[in-house]
Amino acid sequence: TMEERPNHQYKGVSTGTTILAVQFNGGVIIASDSRASMGGSYVSSKIINKLIQVHDRIFCCIAGSLADAQAVTKMAKFQLSFHSIQMESPPLVKAAASVLKELCYNNREDLQAGFITAGWDKKKGAQVYTVSMGGMLISQPFTIGGSGSTYIYGYADAKYKPDMSREECLQFTTNALALAIGRDNVSGGVAHLVVITEDGVEHVLIPGDKLPKFHDE
Amino acid sequence: MALSHVFESPVPGFNFENSTRNLLLEDALGEGKSNAPKPLKTGTTIAGVVCKDGVVLGADTRATSSEVVADKMCAKIHYIAPNIYCCGAGTAADTEKTTELLSSNLTIFSMNSGRNPRVVMAANILQNMLFRYHGAIGANLILGGVDCTGSHIYRVGPYGSMDKVPYLAMGSGDLAAMGVLEDRFKPRMEQEEAKTLVRDAIRAGIMSDLGSGNNIDICVITSKGVDYIRPYQESEYKDNRQKKYKYKPGTTPVLCEKVVRLELELVHETVQKMETS
């Protein structure tokens, strides 16, 4: 779903990456790897955090140029915080995604960053939105993004089921990340997963060597 | 939004005027004329490590202008606040001025708010500034310091990316220095061990990179204070000057002397009495 340009050089540090978000029964899991690269051959960070909390129950994960993504999420965090004070209630996930979309679309000539927004709100429950690099916003039950996502479209399409349980969803997400990291050179490091439900937010961190192994590893 | 630093407050949203201006300038200069002059780069090795009670920053002291060493004792560890220092790699003028601007803003903030600045605030200000210039400011910075929340090191890139890390090396000698750091870094090291590690990392950069060299500066920041050791270690390859280049007054003979009076004409005179009672 993301317009990936694998040969395109991002200015500075890029997050050439694997990110995904999956709905399950009662919540949503958003996940990413932790590698940041420069020029396609140097890993500038093995432990970068790509899961940014933009509000209490809303996270977004970033792909593309790290500088652009960080600037946009900072702006979004501020706007959402202000919005929730004005409305005297937590923002909707759709609102968060829209804020990102406005920033991405209005500055589409100059920015190179894409996002996946996932969270929980009282109106519609758990949701997943994709904001692509050009500023397209769509809602999906699950979505994958980043350069590593191309290697797991088959796996995700085949293995996703609606209304999974939390454990099934964790397993699905971890497997998808592990498979993508295994094939994509600019994805790697540790696996960050965040489980968002009505009751709260839980971080799960899986070190690289504890990820599930497949036939040739 | 009280108590913020004194910047010219940016207009809402992103402002990419400067990148359009730069493109226009490049086109204008490109017609027939040679390219814009190459700025002085520091071709550098800088490193930083978080240790048990604080932060150790290190840098080499060579500034190069293409293949000539322009400055053999250049200071690359810049003062930001009493508890925050910043190593800079990239374009020498950019790192110098960016850190000076940051330092001024943080001082004003401290005075206005009555609080000591935090390292994360300095990193955020840098990030905001560098992002607005879209990479035109060639500053790769290692920001390190100790504040009420602990000891921190941040990497800030020229495009405005920010990353919090336990150890870091940057500059043209970063691959060599990183090798040393990756091998020997341990969390919560003792201060002396950390100083040795940073010294060895910079030394690896100096030995393996042509753009880094001369002496090694070290800056140790703890909650009790700052120890800026300049130089921590001098280069083994110092030149021995055979002659002194200072000349006594009178060495150059005066051949002739001519005094010309400047004739000034008084055109207009006003007297203003000052009230002193």
Side-chain angles (χ1 to χ4, degrees):
Chain A
T1 44
M2 296 258 197
E3 301 151 44
E4 283 313 307
R5 293 173 268 187
N7 299 319
H8 187 96
Q9 287 298 326
Y10 295 115
K11 333 159 271 214
V13 181
S14 100
T15 56
T17 203
T18 308
I19 50 179
L20 60 151
V22 188
Q23 266 180 19
F24 65 90
N25 195 358
V28 62
I29 294 186
I30 188 166
S32 80
D33 70 311
S34 70
R35 180 172 288 187
S37 55
M38 234 151 67
S41 61
Y42 178 64
V43 175
S44 65
S45 178
K46 300 178 276 193
I47 44 154
I48 202 147
N49 176 32
K50 300 183 204 181
L51 296 177
I52 318 271
Q53 181 162 23
V54 292
H55 207 263
D56 296 348
R57 295 277 187 284
I58 309 176
F59 275 71
C60 71
C61 41
I62 60 183
S65 157
L66 184 61
D68 291 347
Q70 284 181 339
V72 171
T73 45
K74 265 177 139 177
M75 180 86 69
K77 224 168 156 172
F78 161 72
Q79 286 187 10
L80 279 175
S81 159
F82 191 67
H83 171 72
S84 77
I85 289 174
Q86 281 190 319
M87 303 290 273
E88 295 191 359
S89 84
L92 299 178
V93 188
K94 179 123 192 246
S98 291
V99 164
L100 289 168
K101 176 262 294 177
E102 281 295 298
L103 290 167
C104 286
Y105 180 72
N106 291 334
N107 297 292
R108 63 192 181 279
E109 312 292 325
D110 306 292
L111 290 174
Q112 289 166 24
F115 305 88
I116 292 180
T117 311
W120 186 95
D121 65 46
K122 234 165 75 159
K123 187 168 167 192
K124 282 182 156 181
Q127 297 144 75
V128 171
Y129 292 87
T130 305
V131 178
S132 74
M133 225 167 264
M136 170 185 80
L137 168 64
I138 56 175
S139 166
Q140 296 170 301
F142 79 97
T143 188
I144 55 180
S147 54
S149 65
T150 51
Y151 306 102
I152 49 171
Y153 273 105
Y155 176 79
D157 286 340
K159 289 292 184 179
Y160 172 77
K161 305 190 303 272
D163 278 329
M164 283 187 278
S165 74
R166 186 177 175 279
E167 277 58 41
E168 283 176 321
C169 189
L170 265 173
Q171 192 61 52
F172 168 73
T173 317
T174 315
N175 284 347
L177 265 181
L179 286 165
I181 287 174
R183 286 292 183 181
D184 184 27
N185 70 322
V186 284
S187 300
V190 307
H192 288 291
L193 296 99
V194 172
V195 185
I196 310 170
T197 56
E198 177 178 6
D199 304 318
V201 158
E202 186 200 333
H203 292 264
V204 179
L205 186 140
I206 307 178
D209 54 354
K210 301 276 190 309
L211 282 171
K213 293 201 192 314
F214 298 91
H215 65 96
D216 55 354
E217 295 170 275
Chain B
M1 221 172 334
L3 299 186
S4 35
H5 33 270
V6 180
F7 257 152
E8 68 286 340
S9 34
V11 291
F14 297 121
N15 183 351
F16 294 110
E17 277 173 11
N18 281 332
S19 45
T20 358
R21 176 210 70 182
N22 290 344
L23 280 173
L24 287 172
L25 273 178
E26 264 174 36
D27 289 340
L29 281 174
E31 293 171 10
K33 276 189 136 186
S34 55
N35 290 332
K38 285 231 173 315
L40 169 66
K41 296 197 113 189
T42 54
T44 288
T45 309
I46 49 177
V49 150
V50 176
C51 62
K52 194 162 112 188
D53 310 308
V55 154
V56 178
L57 299 173
D60 73 306
T61 62
R62 173 178 290 184
T64 50
S65 185
S66 302
E67 64 284 340
V68 177
V69 175
D71 190 351
K72 288 185 281 196
M73 197 54 180
C74 151
K76 302 187 191 178
I77 307 183
H78 309 280
Y79 167 87
I80 305 289
N83 56 328
I84 305 174
Y85 277 73
C86 180
C87 304
T91 311
D94 288 345
T95 57
E96 186 71 46
K97 284 303 162 189
T98 307
T99 46
E100 266 179 31
L101 200 53
L102 174 64
S103 175
S104 308
N105 277 309
L106 283 182
T107 312
I108 294 175
F109 165 78
S110 291
M111 287 185 205
N112 281 336
S113 66
R115 290 168 103 167
N116 280 332
R118 295 192 188 180
V119 190
V120 69
M121 177 178 187
N124 273 303
I125 296 176
L126 278 174
Q127 179 176 42
N128 291 339
M129 187 199 316
L130 291 173
F131 181 76
R132 275 192 303 146
Y133 286 94
H134 233 45
I137 296 186
N140 290 282
L141 305 165
I142 298 183
L143 188 69
V146 177
D147 57 33
C148 56
T149 56
S151 338
H152 313 280
I153 283 189
Y154 286 86
R155 170 211 276 127
V156 184
Y159 290 97
S161 58
M162 179 175 98
D163 190 14
K164 184 170 186 313
V165 282
Y167 61 91
L168 184 56
M170 288 186 96
S172 53
D174 67 345
L175 291 178
M178 208 47 164
V180 173
L181 290 174
E182 287 282 4
D183 186 34
R184 284 159 47 187
F185 174 81
K186 293 186 296 286
R188 286 177 295 279
M189 278 188 295
E190 292 296 333
Q191 204 177 85
E192 281 310 312
E193 210 187 327
K195 276 155 83 173
T196 313
L197 177 59
V198 171
R199 194 269 320 270
D200 289 345
I202 304 292
R203 191 162 183 283
I206 287 175
M207 289 299 153
S208 317
D209 176 44
L210 296 176
S212 310
N214 301 94
N215 308 324
I216 301 176
D217 290 345
I218 293 264
C219 182
V220 184
I221 311 172
T222 56
S223 51
K224 297 191 186 57
V226 171
D227 192 11
Y228 191 160
I229 312 167
R230 177 172 153 80
Y232 180 73
Q233 182 174 295
E234 294 203 318
S235 161
E236 299 119 56
Y237 304 102
K238 275 173 86 76
D239 54 0
N240 290 320
R241 294 277 159 84
Q242 301 300 333
K243 277 183 133 174
K244 282 213 174 324
Y245 288 97
K246 274 192 150 54
Y247 296 96
K248 287 199 301 289
T251 310
T252 310
V254 178
L255 294 179
C256 75
E257 194 176 311
K258 182 173 171 190
V259 176
V260 175
R261 254 187 81 87
L262 269 178
E263 295 296 334
L264 293 173
E265 183 193 325
L266 180 60
V267 174
H268 180 69
E269 187 180 336
T270 39
V271 175
Q272 184 160 46
K273 278 196 159 205
M274 210 166 70
E275 294 287 328
T276 48
S277 48

